[in-house]
């Protein structure tokens, strides 16, 4: 069997049974990495007490920046925390934000999902709004509180990409249907952050890093759900896997630029 490239899956901290701390990641993330990207998933304990960014860069070929309930702390983009900002995970911030910057500098592939989308933006100097449904004209993008897993991850709105842009070329379509399970959203794009897709209410939904040396894409929705069968998720993870194999083989990827 050919050795698969390793994709580090960023974990989240949970408290199991009310008193047992654990680092964990959704099985659907591992399934998307293994079955669609064709790489080996490796769960990363996101805490600088246990791992360093340099160690992760040497161990993994690419990184999946997953979603998670805790939000990026607003101090990371120069704002004070409020109740609206929700829960935080400063240990994850301490790993992922410098990791994003290092990967972009090296050309090492990253794919951001939901919180990961927001992390890429904040890592490059952007800012977030704590609750986009409170903004005038915006919709509620949060996960439905009730229902089955299928109902929570159901396709709920269109995302329209920049004509001729990175995501349009990747997907082969200017508009796609996605799920939506987030409360926060991008306000100010960071340095070199190109917003390449929007929801109908104007909420940023897809981005890439302009001029990045390698694969550096992120989406606000959750493509890991049903990734093998969804026509939007599959090309995203397939191209991520191809970029990771190229990195592992010592080949560079062309810089990401708009049309």
């Amino acid at each position: 069997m050919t050795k698969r490239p390793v994709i580090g899956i960023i974990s989240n901290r949970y408290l199991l049974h009310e008193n047992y701390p654990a680092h964990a990641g959704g099985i659907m993330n591992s399934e998307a990495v293994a079955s669609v990207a064709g790489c080996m998933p490796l769960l990363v304990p996101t805490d600088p007490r246990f791992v360093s960014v340099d160690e992760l860069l040497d161990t993994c070929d690419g990184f999946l920046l997953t979603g998670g309930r805790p939000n990026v702390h607003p101090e990371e983009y120069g704002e004070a925390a409020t109740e609206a900002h929700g829960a935080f995970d400063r240990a994850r911030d301490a790993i992922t934000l410098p990791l994003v910057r290092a990967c972009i500098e090296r050309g090492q592939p990253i794919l951001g999902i939901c919180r990961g989308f927001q992390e890429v933006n904040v890592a490059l100097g952007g800012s977030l709004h704590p609750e986009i449904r409170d903004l005038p004209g915006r919709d509620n993008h949060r996960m439905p509180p009730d229902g089955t897993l299928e109902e929570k991850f159901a396709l709920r709105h269109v995302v329209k990409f920049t004509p001729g842009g990175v995501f349009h070329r990747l997907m082969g379509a200017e508009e796609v249907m996605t799920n939506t399970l987030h409360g926060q959203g991008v306000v100010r794009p960071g340095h070199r952050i190109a917003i390449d897709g929007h929801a109908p209410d104007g909420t940023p939904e897809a981005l890439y890093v302009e001029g990045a040396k390698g694969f550096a894409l992120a989406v606000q929705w959750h493509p890991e759900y049903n990734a093998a069968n969804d026509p939007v998720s599959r090309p995203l993870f397939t191209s991520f896997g191809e970029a990771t194999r190229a990195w592992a083989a010592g080949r560079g990827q062309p810089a990401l630029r708009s049309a």
Side-chain angles (χ1 to χ4, degrees):
M1 179 178 177
T2 303
K3 183 179 179 181
R4 293 179 294 170
V6 176
I7 289 180
I9 298 178
I10 298 301
S11 70
N12 286 292
R13 189 179 188 278
Y14 294 92
L15 198 62
L16 303 181
H17 307 297
E18 299 182 353
N19 62 4
Y20 185 81
H23 282 114
I27 290 177
M28 64 180 71
N29 290 311
S30 298
E31 185 173 8
V33 165
S35 301
V36 186
C39 298
M40 189 186 89
L42 182 67
L43 197 65
V44 173
T46 46
D47 191 319
R49 295 177 299 169
F50 312 133
V51 296
S52 71
V53 170
D54 286 343
E55 288 173 321
L56 293 175
L57 293 169
D58 288 343
T59 302
C60 302
D61 299 300
F63 295 93
L64 182 66
L65 307 166
T66 62
R69 188 171 297 277
N71 296 311
V72 178
H73 199 286
E75 286 181 359
E76 299 291 350
Y77 46 92
E79 297 181 13
T82 68
E83 186 175 341
H85 285 93
F88 307 116
D89 185 348
R90 298 312 300 270
R92 173 166 168 162
D93 294 345
I95 290 293
T96 55
L97 299 181
L99 179 65
V100 166
R101 291 187 284 266
C103 285
I104 291 169
E105 176 64 27
R106 291 158 59 97
Q108 202 155 347
I110 56 171
L111 173 59
I113 291 174
C114 198
R115 174 186 162 125
F117 173 88
Q118 296 161 10
E119 284 172 327
V120 174
N121 185 57
V122 171
L124 296 185
S127 66
L128 307 173
H129 193 279
E131 191 65 76
I132 58 174
R133 64 181 174 181
D134 292 341
L135 297 173
R138 296 293 186 93
D139 298 327
N140 182 3
H141 289 254
R142 284 191 172 276
M143 179 179 68
D146 302 309
T148 64
L149 195 66
E150 290 78 11
E151 290 168 336
K152 291 177 184 294
F153 282 87
L155 304 180
R156 289 172 55 198
H157 68 61
V158 166
V159 172
K160 187 172 183 178
F161 302 127
T162 303
V166 169
F167 279 87
H168 178 195
R169 299 195 303 270
L170 176 63
M171 300 294 179
E174 285 190 30
E175 293 187 4
V176 299
M177 285 293 295
T178 72
N179 54 42
T180 182
L181 300 91
H182 64 101
Q184 297 198 328
V186 169
V187 176
R188 182 184 70 251
H191 177 59
R192 296 168 57 197
I193 294 292
I195 302 298
D196 205 36
H198 293 83
D201 66 352
T203 298
E205 292 279 343
L207 66 78
Y208 65 92
V209 180
E210 183 78 39
K213 297 177 181 178
F215 189 100
L217 274 61
V219 297
Q220 185 63 84
W221 69 89
H222 282 263
E224 74 274 23
Y225 177 75
N226 195 30
N229 302 308
D230 182 75
V232 178
S233 303
R234 188 170 187 86
L236 189 58
F237 275 99
T238 298
S239 60
F240 179 43
E242 291 171 352
T244 305
R245 278 186 289 278
W247 171 267
R251 299 191 300 271
Q253 292 291 299
L256 296 172
R257 298 188 185 279
S258 57

